[in-house]
Amino acid sequence: MADVFADLVGQDEAVVTLRRAAASAAALLRVESTPGVTVEPDGPEAAGGPGAGMTHAWIFTGPPGSGRSVAARAFAAALQCGHGTGCGACPGCHTTMAGTHADVRLVVPEGLSIPVKEMRALVLRAASTPSGGRWQVVIIEDADRLGERAGNALLKAIEEPSPRTVFLLCAPSTHPDDISVTIRSRCRIVPLRQPSAEAVAEVLVHRDGIAPDVAGWAAAAAQGHVGRARRLARDPEARQRRDAVLAVPRRLTGVGAAFDAAAALIEAAEAEAAASVAELDEAERAALQTALGAGGTGRGAAAAMRGAAGQLKDLEKRQKSRATRAQRDALDRALVDLAGFYRDALTSALRAPVAPVHTDTAALAEAGGQRWSAEGALRRLEAVLECRVAIEANVKPRIAVEAMMLALWKG
Ligand SMILES: [Zn+2]
């Protein structure tokens, strides 16, 4: 039986840190259940020497796809593990990995930020005694999307933690834009690296049963993003969308074509996002209507309907925020693919001895590299990266993408 850390691809150092901390946490629980003995959570007596101990707040950092939330969930499982190791087989491990453990809460912000109301409620619940007798664990995915007020609510909880509460934050980096300096200063950092294409391919072959040649291609094309590689290997629609993005450089034959390409890219991102949220939106709407007694005829139903308008409006607002986020994520994936193409053109122009990101368009990228020279390829690569930065900084996607397409065409 694989233990809970088996899904962390190419993260040996982080796994060592987390195993030690889990052992230390288990030792703490044992000591606490022995009357008359106290132990400092970070003290060397906790287990494994100084720095190896348990602490109440952690930040998992790394590029998208490196497995930040996978690492956080595995660590949560190890904390709830009956053996204190993350064995992968006991009920504690099992329920945590399945997302049903009563003392593990996962926060996935659906919009572009985490509402302060949600954060306060969460902090309050996290302070309660763990029902399973081990730890209350709160995992916050995309903690970089915490607004200032939500961040402050969290900071208070981290500054004065309940003895059995553990916060696991996931963020791209510990840059102040991602995580406030005050929160960061109270957390232990677990840096994750971008796994190599070989490591990703190996996982696809051995864990997902994907054919080695497909796995190799998908792992390279996904640029170290395990989830993306898996999707590319399995989902023909994901492959089609990628093909369409990689056809962009060939299509840029003039100003009109550049605007057409921009419109097509935006529309494809919108369509992909709409498909990804449609089912969830509908289920939520149906659930709310049932809760509000829609279709009922009694006096209670009529009373419920009077408050319903506000709740429906709230739900629509939340769904709109989620759709915007899904669109941005889809667009960003497309831009990363496009950046990979120009990166291939650049490395080819420089005759750098590295494998191409997109093996299936390597010949095209090479031709581009010859035509544009290294400088031209670099300018184009920078245009794509600038577009990502602009969208991240809230420039309207259509405007940012049009500017990028024009830059790619002009060189
Ligand atoms: Zn276990």
Side-chain angles (χ1 to χ4, degrees), residues 142 145 269 272 323-334:
D142 300 323
R145 286 177 166 137
E272 185 187 342
T324 306
R325 159 116 189 257
Q327 272 172 30
R328 288 201 192 182
D329 288 350
L331 189 56
D332 196 58
R333 270 194 298 281

Side-chain angles (χ1 to χ4, degrees), residues 77 81-83 85-90 92-93:
C81 174
H83 306 282
T85 57
C87 67
C90 74
C93 284

Side-chain angles (χ1 to χ4, degrees), residues 188-259:
R188 187 164 301 165
I189 319 283
V190 182
L192 302 172
R193 57 187 72 208
Q194 182 162 310
S196 68
E198 291 77 30
V200 174
E202 205 185 297
V203 173
L204 296 189
V205 171
H206 290 116
R207 206 157 311 141
D208 301 299
I210 290 162
D213 55 332
V214 177
W217 165 82
Q223 304 178 58
H225 192 307
V226 183
R228 170 97 176 122
R230 192 174 283 132
R231 235 182 343 268
L232 281 175
R234 281 185 170 162
D235 177 2
E237 280 182 25
R239 281 200 293 276
Q240 270 169 21
R241 282 194 291 268
R242 172 180 168 278
D243 288 348
V245 168
L246 290 179
V248 163
R250 266 173 285 164
R251 295 208 174 136
L252 296 173
T253 51
V255 178
F259 279 103

Side-chain angles (χ1 to χ4, degrees), residues 9-382:
V9 183
Q11 311 293 353
D12 298 346
E13 269 173 57
V15 169
V16 168
T17 304
L18 296 175
R19 279 190 202 285
R20 269 198 210 145
S24 163
L28 269 172
L29 294 182
R30 277 195 299 276
V31 170
E32 272 182 27
S33 60
T34 316
V37 186
T38 56
V39 65
E40 281 298 307
D42 277 325
E45 63 275 53
M54 182 54 186
T55 189
H56 286 286
W58 299 72
I59 303 177
F60 296 82
T61 65
S66 55
R68 299 182 300 238
S69 55
V70 177
R73 183 176 291 213
F75 185 42
L79 291 176
Q80 306 295 12
C81 174
H83 306 282
T85 57
C87 67
C90 74
C93 284
H94 227 263
T95 51
T96 305
M97 296 305 272
T100 55
H101 196 292
D103 296 331
V104 179
R105 246 167 295 280
L106 176 69
V107 183
V108 186
E110 292 179 335
L112 295 172
S113 63
I114 300 174
V116 63
K117 225 164 67 185
E118 186 180 331
M119 184 51 65
R120 286 206 185 113
L122 189 84
V123 162
L124 210 63
R125 281 187 69 183
S128 62
T129 309
S131 58
R134 296 186 70 87
W135 305 91
Q136 278 284 7
V137 184
V138 178
I139 303 174
I140 303 178
E141 274 190 22
D142 300 323
D144 52 307
R145 286 177 166 137
L146 286 173
E148 198 188 331
R149 290 168 66 213
N152 284 341
L154 175 66
L155 177 62
K156 251 181 112 183
I158 290 179
E159 278 177 333
E160 297 154 23
S162 308
R164 292 289 190 85
T165 303
V166 184
F167 287 95
L168 308 179
L169 316 186
C170 308
S173 76
T174 54
H175 188 279
D177 283 350
D178 286 339
I179 288 285
S180 82
V181 176
T182 38
I183 290 182
R184 185 212 144 121
S185 69
R186 311 238 166 215
C187 295
R188 187 164 301 165
I189 319 283
V190 182
L192 302 172
R193 57 187 72 208
Q194 182 162 310
S196 68
E198 291 77 30
V200 174
E202 205 185 297
V203 173
L204 296 189
V205 171
H206 290 116
R207 206 157 311 141
D208 301 299
I210 290 162
D213 55 332
V214 177
W217 165 82
Q223 304 178 58
H225 192 307
V226 183
R228 170 97 176 122
R230 192 174 283 132
R231 235 182 343 268
L232 281 175
R234 281 185 170 162
D235 177 2
E237 280 182 25
R239 281 200 293 276
Q240 270 169 21
R241 282 194 291 268
R242 172 180 168 278
D243 288 348
V245 168
L246 290 179
V248 163
R250 266 173 285 164
R251 295 208 174 136
L252 296 173
T253 51
V255 178
F259 279 103
D260 287 348
L265 196 66
I266 299 277
E267 275 157 29
E270 282 172 357
E272 185 187 342
S276 75
V277 298
E279 208 175 313
L280 198 52
D281 281 1
E282 187 45 46
E284 281 177 357
R285 228 178 345 253
L288 181 60
Q289 272 163 357
T290 307
L292 293 173
T297 50
R299 217 182 289 168
M305 281 316 283
R306 281 197 287 278
Q311 288 191 47
L312 269 170
K313 223 168 125 191
D314 267 2
L315 178 66
E316 274 165 15
K317 210 169 117 194
R318 252 194 350 263
Q319 291 184 338
K320 195 163 169 250
S321 171
R322 182 168 64 206
T324 306
R325 159 116 189 257
Q327 272 172 30
R328 288 201 192 182
D329 288 350
L331 189 56
D332 196 58
R333 270 194 298 281
L335 293 174
V336 169
D337 281 346
L338 204 53
F341 177 87
Y342 291 107
R343 177 258 189 208
D344 287 348
L346 176 63
T347 54
S348 154
L350 291 171
R351 301 187 191 292
V354 291
V357 170
H358 302 298
T359 45
D360 43 354
T361 54
L364 270 174
E366 197 184 329
Q370 276 171 12
R371 208 163 52 243
W372 304 322
S373 80
E375 291 77 24
L378 181 60
R379 277 198 303 278
R380 288 170 173 86
L381 175 57
E382 280 173 348

